[in-house]
Amino acid sequence: MPSIKLAVLSDLHAAPRGSDPRGTEVRLYSDGDAFGTHDNPMSSLHDLIKRRGLSADFVVCPGDMTNRADGGALRYVWKELHALKEALGAKEVIATVGNHDVDSRGKTLGNFPREALMRLVPRFPIDDHKLADHYWAHGYYVTCIGSTRFLVLNSCWLHESRDELEMGAVTEYSLEKLKRDLVELGPADINVAVCHHHPHVHSELGLGNDIMLNGQALLDVLANSGMWLVIHGHKHHPKIEVAQGDFQAPVVLACGSFSGRIEGPNATVSRNYFHLVEAQLFGDDNELCGAIESWQWVSGLGWEAYGNANSSFPSRAGFGYNGSVKTLARLVATSLGTHQLMQWSEMLKLQPNLAYLTPKRFNAVLQALRDEHSININCSDNGLPSELGKRS
């Protein structure tokens, strides 16, 4: 079955140390080469890659590489993303622009808003002149790399007019052209869309007021051309959900911030995150499903698995199984059979759909096992299931 692995870094908000004299706004300094390994989220990530032997097919960045359109920090991050590509053995960097990457408020006089982005080497957003030109001219590009079709959307396209700064957008013109392009390209095994702003409602903690203009229309266009995983940033609050729709509704991954500031109520539940997403086609119907492994960054300690510390987005999550949770609970109970105790890893081999549950569905399955089948789930110190057994 086709599968891909994506290393995802969103909302880095890198900036020079001098731009943050109080040390409260930036966690990734673009002039921080002399820092210790675990004082810098980027150098800590290289340590994690070596320590865990991580690899990926693509490095994905859904925007806000820099903070307040700092040109030097933008060049720093672009260079680092390509260094990560080499460290992970990846084929390509898949990146898009965030609102902090566009000088929409005229910070640098004499430059047009995306000038720093246009001057990046290799070329941004991708080192293919035809695709890059299409991105800037039409607000997106679409390409197939191996078995994967990528849509990379510029949801900040209207920010250059300097009167649409509060939300992202996809224009009706772009949607009409995208429909035609998707038909012309034909189907692909795996479809991934990358954008900065959220096209799907993000209502938690009052974070969803600036939803992308025409976001649902974009999701509807995608649903008509296959099963899609949509990856976005901007909110600094990780979440995985199925979007609205009655057919092939896209799965939407809202990324946590790699090294940006976490503010307000979100600071009580979120940290800085690095995500490793594995997507594949599974089952007789070739459904798009996947697993997400995430780490949080702790100054002085580096990137660590955090278990169930964030209960709505644990360090292991999934997507793709949309069937009945009660049916899956019954199958788990049947697989347990007469065993009094079974390792969770063994049950995953018998019922692999357990790995493809969003956190809410996963918790519902665990609850059904406890309430309807008298099965206890024991957890390890990090709060993730380690074994299950029948209640005596």
Side-chain angles (χ1 to χ4, degrees):
M1 290 290 184
S3 66
I4 58 165
K5 193 178 291 185
L6 310 171
V8 185
L9 302 80
S10 187
D11 295 87
L12 292 85
H13 289 271
R17 178 178 280 279
S19 69
D20 185 31
R22 292 185 296 176
T24 58
E25 190 167 345
V26 176
R27 290 185 173 88
L28 179 61
Y29 294 110
S30 54
D31 51 0
D33 292 341
F35 292 179
T37 299
H38 296 312
D39 294 331
N40 181 320
M42 189 63 75
S43 57
S44 289
L45 182 56
H46 282 277
D47 176 72
L48 175 68
I49 291 169
K50 292 178 183 178
R51 181 161 37 93
R52 294 289 302 272
L54 300 181
S55 63
D57 298 302
F58 300 94
V59 174
V60 176
C61 181
D64 276 0
M65 295 178 285
T66 183
N67 202 53
R68 301 183 182 180
D70 186 277
L74 192 67
R75 292 189 294 273
Y76 162 78
V77 170
W78 192 234
K79 177 182 176 182
E80 290 296 326
L81 291 176
H82 284 82
L84 284 174
K85 183 186 89 167
E86 299 302 319
L88 290 162
K91 301 172 186 174
E92 186 60 82
V93 174
I94 304 295
T96 194
V97 62
N99 52 291
H100 274 266
D101 302 323
V102 182
D103 188 13
S104 51
R105 289 178 170 85
K107 175 181 176 181
T108 304
L109 295 177
N111 289 359
F112 63 101
R114 57 178 148 103
E115 184 163 334
L117 290 158
M118 298 289 285
R119 291 181 179 276
L120 289 175
V121 179
R123 192 167 178 194
F124 180 90
I126 189 168
D127 197 23
D128 179 307
H129 291 298
K130 184 177 180 180
L131 294 176
D133 287 345
H134 195 285
Y135 176 88
W136 292 118
H138 303 292
Y140 70 91
Y141 77 79
V142 183
T143 188
C144 289
I145 305 176
S147 60
T148 306
R149 176 169 54 178
F150 286 99
L151 162 65
V152 181
L153 179 73
N154 180 359
S155 62
C156 301
W157 204 26
L158 298 185
H159 286 217
E160 297 189 32
S161 69
R162 307 192 182 196
D163 59 2
E164 293 286 350
L165 306 182
E166 300 304 320
M167 65 175 63
V170 55
T171 66
E172 292 183 8
Y173 161 80
S174 292
L175 288 173
E176 291 169 7
K177 183 165 178 53
L178 176 61
K179 288 180 188 178
R180 296 193 296 269
D181 285 355
L182 291 175
V183 170
E184 184 177 330
L185 275 172
D189 290 325
I190 297 175
N191 300 287
V192 179
V194 180
C195 54
H196 182 64
H197 295 88
H198 52 300
H200 171 64
V201 65
H202 201 109
S203 57
E204 288 83 351
L205 305 172
L207 294 171
N209 294 332
D210 53 349
I211 190 169
M212 183 193 300
L213 181 66
N214 290 328
Q216 185 58 49
L218 169 66
L219 296 174
D220 292 342
V221 168
L222 298 182
N224 288 330
S225 66
M227 295 177 292
W228 286 80
L229 170 63
V230 178
I231 301 174
H232 74 81
H234 191 52
K235 294 288 89 181
H236 297 200
H237 175 263
K239 183 176 77 166
I240 181 78
E241 282 189 344
V242 178
Q244 177 181 328
D246 61 356
F247 177 67
Q248 293 187 157
V251 175
V252 181
L253 170 61
C255 300
S257 167
F258 179 81
S259 49
R261 179 174 57 179
I262 314 297
E263 299 178 296
N266 191 26
T268 66
V269 295
S270 296
R271 299 295 181 265
N272 291 116
Y273 298 98
F274 166 67
H275 308 296
L276 196 62
V277 182
E278 188 164 8
Q280 61 183 354
L281 299 182
F282 179 77
D284 295 336
D285 295 327
N286 284 337
E287 295 288 337
L288 177 66
C289 63
I292 307 166
E293 189 169 7
S294 302
W295 292 263
Q296 68 179 19
W297 186 71
V298 180
S299 179
L301 296 177
W303 292 99
E304 296 184 332
Y306 56 92
N308 202 37
N310 182 345
S311 60
S312 64
F313 197 87
S315 57
R316 293 178 189 168
F319 60 88
Y321 177 78
N322 299 313
S324 166
V325 296
K326 291 185 179 293
T327 297
L328 183 55
R330 284 197 297 270
L331 291 171
V332 170
T334 301
S335 294
L336 184 61
T338 58
H339 292 86
Q340 293 302 309
L341 197 66
M342 183 181 290
Q343 294 295 309
W344 188 258
S345 57
E346 291 301 312
M347 181 57 73
L348 282 173
K349 295 176 184 176
L350 298 173
Q351 295 297 332
N353 278 322
L354 287 170
Y356 306 133
L357 292 161
T358 59
K360 290 179 182 178
R361 283 179 169 270
F362 185 76
N363 290 332
V365 168
L366 297 188
Q367 193 66 46
L369 288 172
R370 295 186 186 101
D371 295 347
E372 300 176 23
H373 301 281
S374 299
I375 292 175
N376 286 332
I377 294 88
N378 299 324
C379 297
S380 58
D381 292 341
N382 62 16
L384 297 176
S386 58
E387 57 186 14
L388 70 168
K390 293 189 174 180
R391 193 177 303 151
S392 56

